[in-house]
Amino acid sequence: MSTTSHARARRRDRRVYLRSHPLLFGLLAAGRGRAVRRLGRTLLVHGPDAYREALTRLPLDRTAAGTTGAAARAALRDGGGVLFDQEGGGHRADRRGLAGALGTAGVEELRSLWQPLLVRRLAPLARGGEVDLVDLARELSGSVVCALLGSGADPRAVAGAAAEAAAASVRSHLPGPRRPRAEAAAARATDRLRLLLGPAEEALSVMVAVAAVNTTVAALPRAVAWCADAGLWDQAADAALRPVLADELLRVTAASPLLPRVAAADGAVGGCPVRGGDRLLLVARHAAAAHRRDPDALRPAGPAVARLVFGAGPHACPGARLARVQLADVLGALAPYRPVVARARVDRGAALPGWRALTVRAGAAGATGTAGAGAAGAAGAAGAAR
């Protein structure tokens, strides 16, 4: 691993912002030298302490226009609480409901589903073939969602519908002139996902599907590409270092790099006064030092910083454990092949910055690997992350 390797990895990863969300990348870069910068009634929050303070101490309006909660409510059309915008008892009850499925025991059960999938999908690498990590991430995330929700739907169809629902919802809530029929398109896409999951599915299930699919499809291929470009396969192959490396890669890729929020009352963030109604753009990527600190399992940023990409406080992402264990297993299954990136194409229409296709093939050191080696890698990953 070298500075040059990390620079190559950073250049490739930057393409997902520059080619799919150029305005977002410019916004992320604006004022990142300060913990908080005010632009009119909008605050850009970059510093880790200010970011955490905004999420845990400042009253937030989770249904205000331009927030995740508002987009979810508009797409669902029924106005029901959807975890993102809930407070109080309803929020705690839904979190408890997810805790069993996404806790230690629940994740272990899900691993028995995705580990055979990894062996099957990565087998072409042992024969000199190629694997599209985006396609793998879609099948993987769709399978996990169907298992979580007890749905008999086709995992790939669920993943496709969840991706379209998220993309349509984002398009309907982007800043600027109103887009004709954008909200109606988002609602139709969400209805298609609902029908796939089952007509009785509640809003919470739909939102779980949307969040799980889109963050997995955005994060997993980017993390693997960074690992390949920076030459981190030795760390990925080490059972003790692998979970730490997964945390580090999730930190630098920051699948949800920006959290839009609105203040519900007066307060302060990072010493900057906040008025009720002010918009806050919480830059998770900068709070986690993704823009300046390269991933390294030997010198990690530490969980307090790394996990800021999952939010903070009572609204932190309940799927954080699932994401970390899942990526660790993927890295362990890939490590015997030492894959390199063969081709990469940015997804210009996705809700989150990511790749439309990211194809890998076994590297020189892993070219002699076999399907058995890949299976051993998956098994080793399973033991290490327990």
Side-chain angles (χ1 to χ4, degrees), residues 35-36 43 45-60 62 261 266-274 280 282 287 308 311-314:
V36 183
L43 279 76
V45 181
H46 300 276
D49 293 336
Y51 174 92
R52 193 178 290 107
E53 184 179 12
L55 288 173
T56 59
R57 297 184 184 178
L58 185 71
L60 298 174
R62 296 186 176 276
R261 299 290 186 265
D266 293 352
V269 171
C272 181
V274 178
L280 296 97
L282 310 179
L308 288 178

Side-chain angles (χ1 to χ4, degrees), residues 338-385:
R338 299 297 198 271
V340 295
V341 177
R343 289 180 300 281
R345 182 158 55 101
V346 171
D347 192 338
R348 298 175 184 269
L352 299 174
W355 301 104
R356 186 174 184 83
L358 186 103
T359 305
V360 298
R361 62 171 180 266
T368 59
T370 66

